[in-house]
Every structure is written in structure tokens, then in C-alpha cells.
Amino acid sequence: MSAPLNTTAAIVLAAGQGTRMRSRLPKVLHPLAGRPLIHHVLDALRDAGIERQVVVVGHGADAVEAAIAGRAIAVLQEPQRGTADAVRVALPSVASAKTLVVTMGDVPLQTAELYAMLLREHTTGDAVLTLVSAQLADPTGYGRILRGDDRTVSAIVEERDTDTDTRDIGEVNAGIYAFNLAWLREAIDRITPSDLGELYLTDVVSLAVNDGHRVSVLEAEDPDDAMGINDRVALAAAEERMRRRIAEAHMRNGVTIVDPATTRIDAGVEIGQDARIEPWTILEGATAIASDAIIGPNTHVRDSRIGPRTRVWSSVVEESTVAEDVWIGPFAHLRPGADIGARCRIGNFAEVKRSRLGAGTQQHHFSYLGDAEIGESVNIGAGSVTANFDGAAKHRTEIGNGAKIGVDTMMVAPVTIGENAVTGAGAVVTRDVAPGKTVVGMPARPIELRRSKPPVDAGSPSASTAPVPSGADRNS
Ligand code: UD1
Ligand code: CA
């Protein structure tokens, strides 16, 4: 039986300066797989059912507190006098708990499963203190676990206190503990400062042993769980491990990831069954990819939803929604607020911003649609542009179902082009176009008016009365 979760609380230490990061950003706010380090820790605790979470903040307190707002309680440690001092400061906030989990905000690969095992070990071991250890090929920088002849733990030796005997010990302290809270309350005040004036939480181990209590150890199955981020080299290494875990989870769920080494998927991205992620693809933020979609190669999707069977190739998609059976790319850019209907085709060098495209609409070749409402089965000719900005404000363009926008049409917003209307090549549309009408020229006028107009100068070939070619259906 594990400790009942409603009597289990967690303290997360996140007040330290993180000097070795050499950063103005507090260490626990550095992103890993798209989320601050501290969020990974809080998520793992939550997924393990430990709802009461207290975060000790200090360095960059305001920023850290803002980042955890609504998820955990922040307690200020000022000044920061070491990990035991940090726990002491937070103890009044976990008053009702029986079992206390203490963990580090800079150990982001810890998992909910690890906590479940820790609590199980803690309860069955009947210890006042259970800690997580890991076997590392290179233990440098971590506290080393000292064990007696009978393998029981006697102490933790911090890196700077190691000697030739202890330096090579490969079993390290992960910084993740379960405590009998009543014992810890009493013991923590007995910790004495190190020669640098710091209070080490790790000293609780020898205190417990001297008290004649049992200290249990859970050895992490995956040593990555214990990885602490002290500098940016470790951050990059953790990123790589985290990415691999994320990719493996998707693959086990039925997603094909052709080349995990060149694919970056943020924590929290959802991907449906039989979707296929091609190499050199980045999926970020609150992104959801539906079943059977094919994303990549060379594609960057952020905070977007991509529908079933849709294909996005060598393109950038930000804060957009794409329905089913759409083709995007290569080299398209969906900017925030693009809403692309089913079966659309968005082609080479096409850009869409804050616009809805109805089902079956096609936008190929070098064009820009911004602040526009486009109907179904519309054809946007090559080089066509919504001139949505008049230097002061943005204006909207509306295009009705079935309209054909000829190549190189300028739509000077605000303007409405009716259903099944046609614009000629190079038309500059400054006034609304009635449904079914064809307009041509600059400024665009109904083609019959142009045709009936007498020649300006019959002798000049440049002022011909020949109809301007519509061009609308030359480009598909
Ligand atoms: C600590 C452990 C070490 C363990 C390692 C695991 C101690 C003394 N050492 O070392 O045994 O192997 O973690 O990663 O506990 N913090 C505060 N207030 C403070 C000092 C630190 O909140 O006054 C926070 C830091 O923000 C950080 C965490 O505690 O999130 C650990 O501090 P850090 O200085 O990184 O300790 P390590 O040297 O890594
Ligand atoms: Ca650390």
C-alpha cells in the first residue's frame, strides 16, 4: 500500500540562483521540450496524484511565482541558505500532511511512475526517510550515496566534500525524497551549517541513521530520472533525453516518426493514430495532429490543429486550424488565425493570416490573404494579394463561393467580391464586385463597361479596346 495521497504533500525547491546557468532567467524557467523545467516537475507530481504542491521561490521569485500561478503555492525563501533551509521555510504550508515528498525544481525528467514507486517503497520500508538514487557513469556534481557493509545507507557526501575514496562512487542522490513529516519537522532544526554557512538537506540522512531510524533507497530504473540541470550543457542533454521519451511514447501509440533524431515534438502535443511525421519537423506548443496526417519533411507547426489526412510539406503553421484532406506547401506560411477548410490547397509561397478559407478553395503561387473571409471552391490566382492595411488600420476582404480571382489581383480592402465573380489578370479591385460579375483593369470595372468604352486614341496600340484577358482560369 502506498501512502494515501490526500495526506501526501510536495515541496519543490526552486529558490536557488542557478549560477552555473549564467542566465538572467531563473533556472527553473528555462524551457525543456517547450515548457519551463518547473512545469515538468509539477506535472509529474500531479500525475502521481500529489495535488498539494508548495514551491520554494527566491531568486527571480516574481517570475517563478507567475509561472506556477494557479498550479502551486509559492513560499519565499530569502536569503537562500541551502536546501534544508528551503524545506524549513515551506514546512508551515504543508501542515496537514503525513508524508512529505521533497523534490528539486531542476530535476525535470522525474516521472509520475517514479513518485508512485517512491511512495510505495517509503510505506513498505517503514522508514522515516526514503530517497531516490541513480547509478551514473559520471557522478560529477551530485551528492554520493554512502552505504555500509550491509548495504544500508549511512550518509550523502556532497561533491565538494568528496575525497579519493568517495569521488568514484557512482550511486548519486537524485534530490527526490519521501519523509515522515512529523520526524522531519523535529530533525530539520538539528541540521548545522556547512563551512560555507549552507544548510544541506542531505544531512538528514546521517541524522536519521544516528537516531537509529531506517533510511530506504529507491534506485531509479532509468538514471535519466535523476538528471539535474545545473548548466546549459546539462539542459541540452536533458532536452535530447526528453525528446526521445516523447517520440517513443508517440511511436508506441501508433504514430510513425521516420527519423526521431531530427524530429522535435513538445511535451503535450497530441498526434493521432497512423499519422506520419517526416524528418526535420518541429511540432510545438498546444498542437494537435489528427490521424493519418502527414507532416513534413521540413515543417514547423506551433499551437495549431491539423485535420485528418492533411498533408503539410516544408511549411510553417502558427496558431492556425486546418481541416481534413488539405494540402499545404511546399513553402506556405499560415500565420495566426488562419482557418483552412476541408480539401483546400495552399501552395508555393502562399501566406494566410487571420482568414478563413472555405472548403475546396485553392491558393497557389505567391499570394497573400489577410483579414479575409473566403468562400468555398474559390480560386486565388498567382500573385493575388489582399491590400488589408491602409497605413492606419486593417480592413477586411470577403470573397464569395466559386469566385475566380485572376492572377495578380490586388484586393484593396475593405472590399467584397460576390459569389462566382471573376477578376481579370492584374485587376486592382477598389470597389465591391457584384455576384457573377467579371471585373478587369486598374481600378477594376465590370468588363462590359470597358468593352463599350470608345478608344481613347485609335492610333495608339497601347490604348487598345481589346478586352483585358481574365486570366482567372490560367492558374490552378
Ligand atoms: C543537490 C543535492 C545533491 C543532489 C543534487 C541532485 C543538496 C545539498 N545537494 O545538489 O545531493 O545530488 O541536488 O540534483 O541538497 N535551492 C533552494 N534554496 C536554496 C538552495 C537551493 O530552493 O537555498 C534549490 C535550487 O533552486 C535547486 C535545488 O534546490 O532547484 C537544488 O539546489 P542546487 O544548488 O542545484 O543543488 P545541487 O548542487 O544540484
Ligand atoms: Ca541542482
Side-chain angles (χ1 to χ4, degrees):
M1 258 284 301
S2 304
L5 290 169
N6 55 2
T7 60
T8 303
I11 295 175
V12 181
L13 306 192
Q17 195 182 352
T19 320
R20 291 162 281 184
M21 295 295 280
R22 295 177 179 269
S23 178
R24 288 183 300 277
L25 186 69
K27 174 162 71 176
V28 295
L29 297 188
H30 276 260
L32 179 74
R35 290 183 185 174
L37 294 182
I38 186 92
H39 282 196
H40 290 282
V41 176
L42 299 181
D43 286 353
L45 288 166
R46 181 203 56 208
D47 293 347
I50 304 169
E51 300 286 348
R52 183 150 184 92
Q53 304 171 357
V54 179
V55 177
V56 182
V57 300
H59 182 77
D62 290 345
V64 178
E65 193 170 346
I68 61 166
R71 313 187 46 159
I73 301 161
V75 171
L76 185 67
Q77 182 201 19
E78 188 64 66
Q80 291 94 47
R81 294 172 52 222
T83 45
D85 177 60
V87 170
R88 197 184 47 75
V89 166
L91 283 181
S93 303
V94 292
S96 62
K98 289 208 161 34
T99 302
L100 178 70
V101 167
V102 173
T103 187
M104 308 285 146
D106 66 346
V107 183
L109 296 185
Q110 47 187 296
T111 60
E113 294 73 43
L114 185 74
Y115 287 124
M117 285 192 280
L118 171 66
L119 292 174
R120 210 174 304 130
E121 177 71 32
H122 184 64
T123 311
T124 54
D126 195 29
V128 290
L129 152 60
T130 305
L131 59 90
V132 176
S133 79
Q135 293 286 350
L136 298 188
D138 178 11
T140 311
Y142 293 85
R144 314 294 205 282
I145 308 281
L146 296 196
R147 293 188 187 248
D149 294 338
D150 59 351
R151 300 274 302 145
T152 58
V153 176
S154 56
I156 296 174
V157 181
E158 286 305 297
E159 171 77 28
R160 53 181 294 275
D161 301 322
T162 52
D163 55 22
T164 44
D165 286 341
T166 50
R167 198 160 298 139
D168 293 337
I169 294 174
E171 186 180 18
V172 303
N173 171 30
I176 301 169
Y177 318 81
F179 290 100
N180 171 329
L181 183 54
W183 176 80
L184 180 67
R185 274 187 205 289
E186 173 275 316
I188 200 148
D189 291 328
R190 289 192 274 140
I191 292 177
T192 52
S194 70
D195 50 0
L196 290 180
E198 271 200 49
L199 295 157
Y200 288 167
L201 182 60
T202 42
D203 285 353
V204 289
V205 172
S206 40
L207 280 182
V209 171
N210 290 341
D211 284 358
H213 291 305
R214 235 180 85 77
V215 174
S216 290
V217 179
L218 173 74
E219 214 180 300
E221 277 169 30
D222 184 349
D224 288 352
D225 285 8
M227 214 170 154
I229 310 302
N230 291 331
D231 62 21
R232 299 194 204 215
V233 175
L235 182 64
E239 181 83 21
E240 195 255 319
R241 311 290 167 83
M242 178 67 99
R243 299 287 182 192
R244 197 169 58 204
R245 280 186 182 179
I246 292 169
E248 284 176 10
H250 286 296
M251 291 188 276
R252 289 187 212 290
N253 262 340
V255 175
T256 294
I257 297 178
V258 176
D259 182 17
T262 63
T263 305
R264 296 276 177 270
I265 304 173
D266 273 0
V269 168
E270 295 168 23
I271 311 181
Q273 201 181 13
D274 285 316
R276 183 178 170 88
I277 312 300
E278 297 278 352
W280 308 105
T281 291
I282 301 170
L283 305 178
E284 288 183 326
T287 287
I289 309 290
S291 313
D292 301 300
I294 302 178
I295 311 297
N298 295 310
T299 289
H300 191 163
V301 180
R302 177 177 62 78
D303 295 324
S304 296
R305 304 187 72 81
I306 308 290
R309 298 173 301 280
T310 282
R311 171 128 220 213
V312 185
W313 172 26
S314 290
S315 293
V316 175
V317 179
E318 312 168 77
E319 295 173 40
S320 291
T321 303
V322 181
E324 67 275 16
D325 301 301
V326 174
W327 270 76
I328 292 175
F331 317 121
H333 186 184
L334 302 189
R335 289 170 53 205
D339 183 350
I340 310 298
R343 301 181 308 285
C344 282
R345 298 283 180 269
I346 313 282
N348 301 271
F349 307 103
E351 174 180 342
V352 182
K353 185 214 72 179
R354 216 160 5 136
S355 295
R356 181 152 62 207
L357 275 64
T361 282
Q362 311 223 3
Q363 182 197 5
H364 295 280
H365 334 296
F366 329 111
S367 55
Y368 170 60
L369 297 174
D371 304 295
E373 176 80 37
I374 319 282
E376 297 183 1
S377 303
V378 169
N379 191 76
I380 307 291
S384 292
V385 160
T386 52
N388 57 332
F389 188 52
D390 61 9
K394 297 284 167 66
H395 299 286
R396 296 194 59 79
T397 299
E398 282 181 37
I399 304 179
N401 296 339
K404 286 191 164 56
I405 306 303
V407 296
D408 211 12
T409 296
M410 298 293 133
M411 290 159 278
V412 183
V415 74
T416 298
I417 297 174
E419 281 194 12
N420 299 314
V422 176
T423 69
V428 177
V429 183
T430 55
R431 279 189 254 161
D432 290 355
V433 179
K437 284 281 179 202
T438 297
V439 295
V440 295
M442 199 280 287
R445 298 169 61 202
I447 196 163
E448 59 272 22
L449 294 182
R450 291 261 169 194
R451 280 203 182 103
S452 63
K453 209 174 142 196
V456 179
D457 175 355
S460 158
S462 64
S464 143
T465 54
V468 180
S470 108
D473 41 21
R474 290 215 197 143
N475 128 75
S476 60

